[in-house]
C-alpha cells in the first residue's frame, strides 16, 4: 500500500518532472504523480538487494530509499529517475564506447551509441585509434577520411535519436594531442554548425604539456603503426586550442596521464575518454551511475549558528553508496559487453549539489579562501565515508570482480566499487531538488533558463536571495524588479555588503578561484569533477591560456571553460529584462 508523501517540490521542479519524468499514456496525458514515481524508483532499486537480504530487509531498504529521495537529501541521475521500474530499465548516465579503426568498428560504435542514447545515457568516445585523413585504405586502395569526418556521422545519428521522446543525446569526443589530425579536430566546431551534439576535448599528455612549458616540438604518432609521422610546436597547437575555446567553449582539455595515474584497474585497460560532461573517466564499454547529495539539506543550527550536520551527512553517504551499488544490480544494460564491464568494476559516482547554497547558509562567500576549505573538508569526509561503506559492502557481498590485479589489491583494501565519487553537473536533478547545481557558484540571481526543457522558458529570481532580502526587509516592489532587470545586485541601491558578498555570482569570481574550488574537490574525488570555468565576455584569450596551464599544474583531470555569450544558444542567460 502506498502512503501519501509530502514532497516539497518547487514550481520549476514540477515543470521538469512533468516534461521529462512522469509517465504518459498514448494520448501524452500524464498518468503518474511525483509520489508514484519515487515509489517506483525506490521499489526497483531495493530489488537490487534481493541476492543478499530477506524480503523484509528489501522492504526496509525500499522505505529508506524512498525517504532518501523524497526528502530531497539525495537524488540519483536522470536515467534512474526516468527508467527505474519502467520498460527501458536502463539506469546509468555515463558510458564510454570503443571506436575501432575499421568500417565495421566505426559503424558498430554508431549502432551501440544509438542503443545507449535512446535509454537516456550519455556517450563518450576516443577517436584516437582511427587512422588519419589521407591514409591508405588497403581494401579499396582509397584514402581514409579521418576521425573528424567520422565524428560527423555520430553527430548526425545523435541529432536524430531523441531519448525516449524526452531529450536529445550528448556525446564527448576525445582525440589525443599526438594524433596527426589534431589541428582539424581542434577547429572542428568553430563554424558553430559542425558537431553540435559533441563536447570535444583534446587528450593532452604530460609530454605535450612539458613541451609547452619548454616551448619545444612534440611528436605526432600514427595510431596504427605507433611511428612518429611528424612534429608540431606545442605552443602553436596550444594557441589554436585556446583561441577555439575562447571563441566557442570547445575544446576542453583532458589530462590523460593524470587520469591514468588514478585508474583503479590499469591491468584491465587504459582510460582514453570520459562521459559527456567529463566527470567519469571510463574504460571502453564501462558505464557508471551517478547520485548527488543535496548539501543544502546537510546543515543544522546550534544556538543560532548554522554548521554542517556531519552525522546526517555520514548517514546519507552510507545509504547513497548502497543505493548506487544496488542500481548496478537493478539496471538493464543496452548491450552485453556493457553489462559485463560494468559489473566487473562496479563503478559508482556519488557527488553533491547545492554547494553554493551551503556556503551562503554558512555565511561563506564562494570567492573567499574559506570556501576552498569548506570544499576540501566536505569532500574529504564524503570520500572517507564512501570508502568505508564500500569496504563494508565488499565484506557482505564480495569485492568487485576485477579487484584482483587492481590498485586496491596492491594496497590491501577490499572494495565493492572500483570508484565511488564524482562531481556531476546535476543540471536537471538540482532543479528537482531546488538547489544550486553541483559545485557551481550561483550563475545569476535572476535569470531566464531556456532550452532545458525543449521549447520552455523558466524565469527565476533566486529563492535564496528572496529569503535573504526578506530578512533585511528588502523584498520590496522597488528592489525586486530592479534585480530582475539587471540580473544581479550590482548597481542596485540599498543592498547591504553582506548580501553582496554572499551572493557573488559565477562571472564575478576570478578564474583562479574557480580552479581552486575544482582542485579542492578533485583532491578527494576518485573519478573527476564536472565544472565550468565561466568567464565574462570581455575575457582575453591569454587568460584562457593561463587557466588551461594552471589546471594541469594543479593536478586537475580536465578543464572546460565558457566565455559568456560565445555560443549563439546557451543554457543560462543573464537577466530577464531583454
Ligand atoms: P542530471 O541532472 O539529469 O542527472 P547531469 O547534468 O548531472 O544530469 O549530467 C550527468 C551526466 O548525464 C552527464 O555527464 C552525461 O553523461 C549525462 N547526460 C546529461 N544530459 C544528457 C543528455 N541530454 N543526453 C545524454 N546524456 C546526458
Amino acid at each position: 500500500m502506498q502512503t501519501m508523501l509530502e514532497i516539497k517540490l518547487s514550481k520549476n521542479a514540477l515543470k521538469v518532472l512533468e516534461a521529462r519524468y512522469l509517465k504518459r499514456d498514448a494520448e501524452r496525458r500524464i498518468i503518474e504523480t511525483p509520489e508514484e514515481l519515487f515509489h517506483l524508483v525506490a521499489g526497483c532499486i531495493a530489488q537490487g538487494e534481493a541476492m543478499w537480504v530477506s524480503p523484509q530487509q528489501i522492504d526496509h531498504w525500499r522505505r529508506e530509499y524512498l525517504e532518501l529521495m523524497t526528502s530531497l537529501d539525495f537524488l540519483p541521475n536522470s536515467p534512474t529517475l526516468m527508467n527505474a521500474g519502467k520498460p527501458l530499465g536502463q539506469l546509468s548516465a555515463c558510458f564510454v564506447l570503443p571506436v575501432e579503426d575499421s568500417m565495421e568498428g566505426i559503424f558498430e560504435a554508431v549502432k551501440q551509441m544509438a542503443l545507449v542514447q535512446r535509454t537516456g545515457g550519455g556517450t563518450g568516445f576516443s577517436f584516437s585509434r582511427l587512422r588519419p585523413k589521407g591514409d591508405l585504405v588497403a581494401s579499396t586502395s582509397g584514402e581514409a577520411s579521418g576521425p573528424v569526418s567520422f565524428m560527423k556521422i555520430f553527430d548526425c545519428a545523435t541529432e536524430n535519436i531523441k531519448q525516449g521522446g524526452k531529450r536529445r543525446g550528448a556525446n564527448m569526443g576525445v582525440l589525443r594531442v599526438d594524433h596527426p589530425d589534431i589541428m582539424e579536430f581542434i577547429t572542428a566546431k568553430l563554424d558553430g554548425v559542425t558537431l553540435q551534439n559533441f563536447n570535444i576535448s583534446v587528450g593532452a599528455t604530460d609530454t605535450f604539456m612539458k613541451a609547452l612549458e619548454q616551448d619545444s616540438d612534440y611528436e605526432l604518432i600514427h595510431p596504427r603503426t605507433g611511428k612518429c609521422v611528424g612534429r608540431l610546436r606545442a605552443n602553436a597547437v596550444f594557441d589554436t586550442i585556446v583561441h577555439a575555446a575562447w571563441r566557442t567553449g570547445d575544446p576542453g582539455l583532458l589530462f590523460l596521464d593524470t587520469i591514468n595515474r588514478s585508474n583503479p584497474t590499469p591491468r584491465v585497460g587504459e582510460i582514453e575518454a570520459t562521459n559527456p560532461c567529463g566527470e567519469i573517466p571510463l574504460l571502453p564499454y564501462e558505464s557508471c551511475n551517478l547520485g548527488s547529495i543535496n548539501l543544502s539539506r546537510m546543515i543544522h543550527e546550534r544556538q543560532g549558528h548554522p554548521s554542517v550536520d556531519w552525522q546526517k551527512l555520514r548517514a546519507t553517504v552510507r545509504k547513497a553508496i548502497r543505493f548506487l551499488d544496488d542500481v548496478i544490480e537493478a539496471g538493464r544494460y543496452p548491450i552485453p559487453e556493457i553489462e559485463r564491464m560494468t559489473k566487473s568494476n562496479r563503478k559508482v559516482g556519488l557527488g553533491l549539489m547545492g554547494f553554493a547554497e551551503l556556503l551562503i547558509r554558512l555565511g561563506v562567500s564562494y570567492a573567499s579562501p574559506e570556501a576552498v576549505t569548506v570544499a576540501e573538508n566536505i569532500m574529504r569526509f564524503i570520500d572517507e565515508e564512501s570508502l568505508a561503506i564500500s569496504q563494508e559492502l565488499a565484506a557482505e557481498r564480495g569485492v568487485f570482480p576485477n579487484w584482483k590485479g587492481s590498485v586496491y589489491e596492491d594496497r590491501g583494501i577490499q572494495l565493492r566499487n572500483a570508484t565511488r565519487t564524482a562531481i556531476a553537473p546535476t543540471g536537471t536533478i538540482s532543479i528537482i531538488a531546488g538547489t544550486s547545481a553541483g559545485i557551481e557558484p550561483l550563475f545569476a540571481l535572476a535569470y531566464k533558463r531556456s532550452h532545458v526543457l525543449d521549447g520552455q522558458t523558466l524565469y527565476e529570481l533566486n529563492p535564496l536571495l528572496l529569503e535573504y532580502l526578506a530578512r533585511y526587509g528588502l523584498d520590496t516592489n522597488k528592489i525586486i524588479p530592479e534585480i530582475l532587470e539587471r540580473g544581479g545586485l550590482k548597481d542596485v541601491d540599498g543592498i547591504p555588503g553582506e548580501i553582496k558578498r554572499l551572493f557573488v555570482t559565477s562571472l564575478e569570481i576570478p578564474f583562479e578561484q574557480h580552479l581552486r574550488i575544482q582542485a579542492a574537490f578533485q583532491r578527494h574525488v576518485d573519478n573527476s569533477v564536472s565544472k565550468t570555468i565561466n568567464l565574462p565576455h570581455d575575457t582575453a584569450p591569454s587568460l584562457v591560456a593561463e587557466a588551461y596551464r594552471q589546471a594541469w599544474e594543479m593536478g586537475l583531470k580536465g578543464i572546460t571553460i565558457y566565455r559568456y555569450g560565445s555560443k549563439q544558444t546557451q543554457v543560462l542567460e543573464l537577466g530577464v529584462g531583454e
Side-chain angles (χ1 to χ4, degrees):
M1 215 195 70
Q2 296 197 350
T3 48
M4 278 311 287
L5 294 166
E6 209 198 318
I7 319 175
K8 292 201 186 81
L9 294 169
S10 70
K11 248 202 314 214
N12 286 340
L14 277 172
K15 274 194 197 175
V16 169
L17 284 169
E18 284 168 9
R20 287 221 192 121
Y21 297 79
L22 302 177
K23 196 168 162 184
R24 289 169 186 262
D25 65 12
E27 272 84 54
R28 311 263 324 128
R29 281 180 306 230
I30 293 174
I31 50 166
E32 186 178 41
T33 64
E35 287 80 4
E36 286 166 341
L37 173 92
F38 285 116
H39 270 284
L40 198 62
V41 176
C44 170
I45 306 309
Q47 280 305 321
E49 295 275 329
M51 287 227 287
W52 298 282
V53 303
S54 68
Q56 287 81 0
Q57 284 171 310
I58 294 177
D59 198 55
H60 163 79
W61 286 109
R62 184 186 65 75
R63 279 180 275 117
E64 289 283 349
Y65 292 161
L66 187 62
E67 168 67 22
L68 190 63
M69 292 183 287
T70 53
S71 60
L72 302 175
D73 286 350
F74 161 91
L75 287 176
N77 57 208
S78 284
T80 302
L81 289 176
M82 285 172 182
N83 299 336
K86 300 203 170 114
L88 277 173
Q90 194 294 104
L91 308 178
S92 296
C94 312
F95 294 78
V96 164
L97 293 167
V99 188
E100 298 306 331
D101 182 42
S102 67
M103 230 16 128
E104 290 81 359
I106 292 167
F107 282 89
E108 187 60 29
V110 173
K111 176 178 135 197
Q112 292 173 343
M113 178 195 80
L115 294 176
V116 171
Q117 285 186 354
R118 72 166 181 198
T119 68
T123 37
F125 307 87
S126 164
F127 293 95
S128 303
R129 290 171 190 274
L130 300 190
R131 72 193 75 185
K133 193 175 188 163
D135 210 48
L136 183 72
V137 180
S139 56
T140 60
S141 304
E143 284 191 358
S145 45
V148 174
S149 111
F150 283 115
M151 284 175 76
K152 293 177 188 164
I153 298 171
F154 288 75
D155 187 61
C156 179
T158 297
E159 186 73 31
N160 291 293
I161 308 161
K162 227 178 158 206
Q163 305 182 325
K166 284 174 179 153
R167 61 178 182 181
R168 178 149 316 137
N171 295 300
M172 168 66 88
V174 182
L175 197 71
R176 284 176 66 94
V177 74
D178 53 13
H179 189 285
D181 287 4
I182 191 65
M183 294 304 254
E184 187 189 357
F185 176 82
I186 294 167
T187 52
K189 291 187 69 177
L190 273 182
D191 62 8
V193 181
T194 307
L195 301 182
Q196 292 305 297
N197 298 304
F198 269 93
N199 293 325
I200 61 170
S201 275
V202 172
T205 57
D206 284 351
T207 308
F208 172 77
M209 295 307 290
K210 284 182 189 144
L212 183 65
E213 271 178 350
Q214 291 155 7
D215 192 12
S216 59
D217 291 355
Y218 72 101
E219 293 183 342
L220 296 179
I221 309 288
H222 194 291
R224 286 174 71 84
T225 62
K227 296 217 171 88
C228 172
V229 289
R231 303 184 73 84
L232 286 173
R233 226 183 107 216
N235 254 304
V237 176
F238 187 68
D239 249 20
T240 314
I241 293 173
V242 162
H243 274 88
W246 180 83
R247 274 185 49 197
T248 68
D250 280 299
L253 295 184
L254 280 184
F255 299 113
L256 293 178
D257 292 314
T258 310
I259 287 174
N260 278 293
R261 274 192 284 277
S262 64
N263 176 1
T265 58
R267 292 180 194 115
V268 181
E270 190 181 322
I271 296 174
E272 299 170 42
T274 69
N275 69 317
C277 301
E279 68 274 20
I280 309 284
L282 292 171
L283 295 167
Y285 288 128
E286 260 190 302
S287 72
C288 181
N289 70 89
L290 311 172
S292 300
I293 292 176
N294 179 354
L295 287 183
S296 75
R297 294 193 37 88
M298 300 294 137
I299 305 170
H300 58 186
E301 293 229 354
R302 291 272 158 83
Q303 288 143 3
H305 289 292
S307 62
V308 175
D309 186 343
W310 297 106
Q311 225 173 330
K312 182 174 180 189
L313 184 57
R314 171 179 291 123
T316 310
V317 171
R318 294 179 60 84
K319 280 181 218 162
I321 289 282
R322 187 173 188 115
F323 180 106
L324 297 177
D325 192 60
D326 285 347
V327 168
I328 300 172
E329 295 309 310
R332 294 214 196 104
Y333 295 83
I335 53 175
E337 290 92 329
I338 293 177
E339 176 157 18
R340 212 172 308 126
M341 269 305 279
T342 305
K343 289 190 168 167
S344 298
N345 278 353
R346 305 192 67 87
K347 286 184 178 171
V348 299
L350 176 64
L352 49 89
M353 53 186 158
F355 176 63
E357 182 173 349
L358 171 86
L359 289 179
I360 292 169
R361 294 198 182 279
L362 295 180
V364 174
S365 168
Y366 196 106
S368 69
E370 220 185 326
V372 180
T373 310
V374 176
E376 187 108 36
N377 290 342
I378 292 266
M379 204 60 224
R380 184 189 299 112
F381 185 85
I382 295 178
D383 180 38
E384 286 170 1
E385 292 300 324
S386 304
L387 196 80
I389 178 72
S390 186
Q391 281 179 284
E392 286 175 36
L393 288 173
E396 283 172 27
R397 305 174 175 185
V399 291
F400 62 92
N402 278 340
W403 180 82
K404 236 180 157 21
S406 76
V407 298
Y408 293 112
E409 187 194 27
D410 301 343
R411 290 179 210 156
I413 304 173
Q414 306 225 325
L415 284 171
R416 179 72 177 151
N417 313 92
T419 67
R420 297 147 306 279
T421 51
I423 306 282
T426 70
T428 338
I429 60 168
S430 66
I431 303 177
I432 300 174
T435 190
S436 57
I439 59 163
E440 297 293 355
L442 302 181
F443 183 76
L445 302 178
Y447 48 86
K448 180 171 99 180
R449 209 189 266 272
S450 42
H451 312 293
V452 171
L453 310 173
D454 293 324
Q456 284 205 53
T457 303
L458 310 175
Y459 293 95
E460 294 171 19
L461 179 62
N462 187 295
L464 194 56
L465 175 63
L466 259 181
E467 190 185 317
Y468 275 68
L469 290 173
R471 270 192 215 175
Y472 286 82
L474 294 171
D475 50 342
T476 64
N477 286 338
K478 178 180 170 297
I479 288 186
I480 289 174
E482 224 181 307
I483 299 173
L484 272 172
E485 178 70 27
R486 291 172 195 272
L489 301 174
K490 226 170 147 204
D491 307 324
V492 180
D493 284 342
I495 306 284
E498 172 72 356
I499 292 195
K500 286 195 173 154
R501 192 177 68 82
L502 292 183
F503 286 86
V504 61
T505 54
S506 196
L507 299 177
E508 298 163 341
I509 296 168
F511 80 90
E512 292 94 337
Q513 179 70 0
H514 282 280
L515 285 177
R516 278 185 219 112
I517 297 277
Q518 185 177 341
F521 278 102
Q522 184 63 75
R523 281 194 281 280
H524 305 285
V525 162
D526 51 14
N527 284 293
S528 191
V529 176
S530 167
K531 167 112 187 65
T532 304
I533 311 299
N534 275 300
L535 303 167
H537 186 72
D538 61 3
T539 299
S542 60
L543 208 126
V544 174
E546 198 42 44
Y548 274 22
R549 281 174 198 269
Q550 284 190 21
W552 180 66
E553 285 160 10
M554 290 168 103
L556 298 183
K557 292 185 178 175
I559 177 164
T560 307
I561 64 115
Y562 183 71
R563 189 172 59 92
Y564 187 75
S566 59
K567 270 194 182 72
Q568 273 174 353
T569 52
Q570 52 189 26
V571 178
L572 297 167
E573 286 177 44
L574 286 174
V576 295
E578 76 258 43

